[in-house]
Amino acid sequence: MSTSNSKVKNVVLVHGAFADGSGYKALYQVLTRKGYQVTVVQNPLTSLEDDVNATKVALDRQDGPAILAGHSWGGAVITEAGTHPKVAALVYIAAFQPDNGESALQWLQTAPPAAENGVLAPDEKGIVYYDKEKFHAGFAADISREEAEFMYASQGAFYAKGFATPITRAAWREKPAYAVVATEDKSIDPEIQRNMYKRSNTRVTEVKGSHVVFMSQPEAVGQVIVDASENASGQQ
């Protein structure tokens, strides 16, 4: 199946902390089967600026308008990078959506962490890791233990300073925004997600899934991206 001319056919996927781009394989397969051209950004996770630059490099290479989707920390990245002229719409997947002058950390602190949450304090290098013993239940409860173990093993080193860096120009104020709320999320409380997206008038789809809902429910997440691509094309 190929996308019609009425759809935005390019999708750029941005991963979050405690992950890398390999987690997007199932979603990549869903979207490519539907005819989309998919690019997966490999965030260095060294700072907000570095991740935004990596995303903009990927956007520069697109041959036309693109849907920019981000998971978790990747939401802060797409909020800053999404003003790129090729971005037709934004999709937040259980993701942070700060406003100008806000950081992802500010939003994370608006609700107490779930008991399953395993985000550790920064180490002596300023790097934040997720507790290995809590990773499956706290981050990826609805995928197999084997998949969760691979995800843990392949994660990047996330530097805490990015988490506290404020957004300078929030793209969702200028571009259409869509979101998936992961209703069983133990890493970003679903109420935090709902509060961010309600404030910004983001079009929300609630999906029963863990923080890695894009892995456990790739068809449902893919459909939100399809909806964004079809609606954004009419606004070009």
Side-chain angles (χ1 to χ4, degrees):
M1 175 184 172
S2 62
T3 53
S4 69
N5 291 333
S6 65
K7 297 179 184 178
V8 174
K9 67 181 179 66
N10 298 310
V11 177
V12 176
L13 301 176
V14 180
H15 67 80
F18 320 118
D20 83 337
S22 64
Y24 274 129
K25 186 174 182 180
L27 182 57
Y28 166 89
Q29 291 171 331
V30 166
L31 293 169
T32 54
R33 282 198 299 266
K34 296 177 185 295
Y36 289 90
Q37 302 295 320
V38 180
T39 301
V40 179
V41 177
Q42 291 287 7
N43 283 330
L45 301 176
T46 42
S47 68
L48 175 62
E49 294 84 359
D50 290 347
D51 289 1
V52 167
N53 286 338
T55 301
K56 287 181 174 178
V57 166
L59 289 166
D60 286 341
R61 291 178 56 84
Q62 304 303 305
D63 62 3
I67 304 302
L68 181 59
H71 169 248
S72 192
W73 158 250
V77 178
I78 71 169
T79 296
E80 190 73 28
T83 55
H84 190 287
K86 287 185 179 175
V87 175
L90 305 158
V91 177
Y92 291 83
I93 306 168
F96 291 108
Q97 191 192 56
D99 198 355
N100 298 328
E102 295 178 350
S103 68
L105 181 60
Q106 280 177 258
W107 275 101
L108 189 64
Q109 293 173 334
T110 60
E116 297 89 344
N117 190 303
V119 178
L120 300 172
D123 69 7
E124 68 280 358
K125 296 178 181 177
I127 301 171
V128 179
Y129 293 100
Y130 208 99
D131 186 329
K132 187 174 183 178
E133 298 306 313
K134 289 189 170 185
F135 191 83
H136 190 202
F139 200 78
D142 52 358
I143 63 174
S144 70
R145 180 165 294 279
E146 291 74 20
E147 269 192 297
E149 287 173 349
F150 174 78
M151 192 178 193
Y152 182 87
S154 60
Q155 68 180 292
F158 180 61
Y159 284 75
K161 64 180 180 181
F163 226 30
T165 302
I167 297 298
T168 62
R169 183 179 165 195
W172 54 261
R173 289 189 165 274
E174 306 170 28
K175 308 282 179 85
Y178 298 75
V180 173
V181 169
T183 63
E184 311 303 306
D185 201 324
K186 303 301 183 184
S187 288
I188 302 177
D189 189 303
E191 279 305 304
I192 295 177
Q193 297 174 41
R194 294 182 185 109
N195 290 338
M196 289 185 294
Y197 307 148
K198 181 179 180 180
R199 173 184 68 168
S200 60
N201 294 317
T202 294
R203 279 167 270 196
V204 173
T205 301
E206 298 217 354
V207 177
K208 186 176 182 180
S210 75
H211 191 52
V212 297
V213 66
F214 61 95
M215 297 178 72
S216 61
Q217 302 284 345
E219 292 283 352
V221 173
Q223 187 56 52
V224 174
I225 292 173
V226 170
D227 292 344
S229 78
E230 292 174 341
N231 292 327
S233 62
Q235 297 166 7
Q236 294 294 303

